[in-house]
Amino acid sequence: MITTEDVQVEVGDSAPMNAYLARPSDRAPRPAVLVCSELWGLTDQVRGIARQVAELGYVAIAPNIYHRAGPEAAAGFAESDANRTRAFELVGDLTRDGVEADLRACVAFAREHAGATEKTGVLGFSLGGHLAFFAATRLDLAAAAIYYPGWVPVAGTALSRPEPLLEHVPAIASGDVRTLMFFAERDHVIDAAQRDQISAALEFAGVRHEEIVYPGAQHAFFFPGREVHDPSAAEDSWTRVTDLFASELL
């Protein structure tokens, strides 16, 4: 059994950030897992992932990283061309310091209000994978499960400003964050050359890591209800996420 709630998280001098919290109902101390969303924000699908994480035995918290834009993004965006354009505008407003403050505030909230322990992991999809990769360079994490993260080896988008996030890989190594990355062979966002760049940088820095490339899969393969959904890849990857968190957080 799990319990869930929408919460308000204080973040520095900004207005409170809305977030979604899910945890086992027994209230026993549990490790925390940050759940970072796709471009669409804090949608019902992201809330569903937080519940799945809670069912594994963790305190899951999913932040609305667009909270500084006000109420328009509080519940995420439906998938449409117009909303894609607006969401990319909000992505352009993100800053490294702002996102770091958001993620740290969520971890602190989970510890103070939901009994989370010091052990913390992160899980993210697409843009959320980008954010999870960033989190692994800034936060004290034990594990990072990262799905098809865009823009990691290229400058100029999301948090890859002014330089690519890939240049910060040594911080993942120094923090000893065990990192698990999932890629799709036919991804239109992340090609094979970018995958190789990421793998080489992790290897060179000495990060404890593993990359899995699913043959024939496409970007956003994880979520049901989409044309690109790949049930086999989704199931296998989730088993690996489960094992990662069990080995590093429990």
Side-chain angles (χ1 to χ4, degrees), residues 1-4 20-26 30-33 35 45-61 123 222 238 241-242 245-246 250:
M1 295 289 292
I2 63 170
T3 59
T4 65
Y20 184 74
L21 182 75
R23 61 151 300 134
S25 55
D26 61 10
R30 307 277 185 165
V33 174
V35 179
Q45 281 189 321
V46 174
R47 288 174 164 84
I49 293 296
R51 291 192 293 272
Q52 285 183 242
V53 171
E55 287 167 358
L56 295 177
Y58 307 100
V59 177
I61 186 163
L123 166 67
F222 185 82
W238 191 250
V241 170
T242 302
F245 288 163
L250 295 179

Side-chain angles (χ1 to χ4, degrees), residues 48-86:
I49 293 296
R51 291 192 293 272
Q52 285 183 242
V53 171
E55 287 167 358
L56 295 177
Y58 307 100
V59 177
I61 186 163
N64 170 25
I65 60 162
Y66 300 145
H67 68 99
R68 292 174 181 82
E72 69 164 313
F77 296 98
E79 295 183 32
S80 70
D81 289 342
N83 284 341
R84 182 185 300 274
T85 298
R86 178 55 180 150

Side-chain angles (χ1 to χ4, degrees), residues 124-126 129-130 133 145-153 166 179-200 202 209-222 230 233-234 236-237 240:
F125 302 82
S126 192
H130 182 93
F133 194 99
I146 302 172
Y147 280 79
Y148 34 81
W151 319 306
V152 168
L166 201 60
T179 304
L180 181 59
M181 304 191 72
F182 302 107
F183 296 106
E185 180 190 32
R186 297 171 55 204
D187 198 316
H188 68 285
V189 178
I190 310 147
D191 61 22
Q194 290 189 11
R195 295 197 304 264
D196 290 344
Q197 280 183 273
I198 294 169
S199 179
L202 293 171
H209 71 284
E210 182 179 5
E211 300 96 36
I212 298 91
V213 181
Y214 290 103
Q218 300 179 61
H219 192 83
F221 66 76
F222 185 82
D230 187 321
D236 179 79
S237 64
R240 293 172 184 269

Side-chain angles (χ1 to χ4, degrees), residues 22 26 37 62 76 114 117 120 124 126 133 135 137 142 145 154 169 171-172 174 179 210 217 221 242-243 248:
D26 61 10
S37 61
T117 66
T120 305
S126 192
F133 194 99
T137 71
V154 294
V169 162
I172 302 177
S174 63
T179 304
E210 182 179 5
F221 66 76
T242 302
D243 292 344
E248 300 299 324

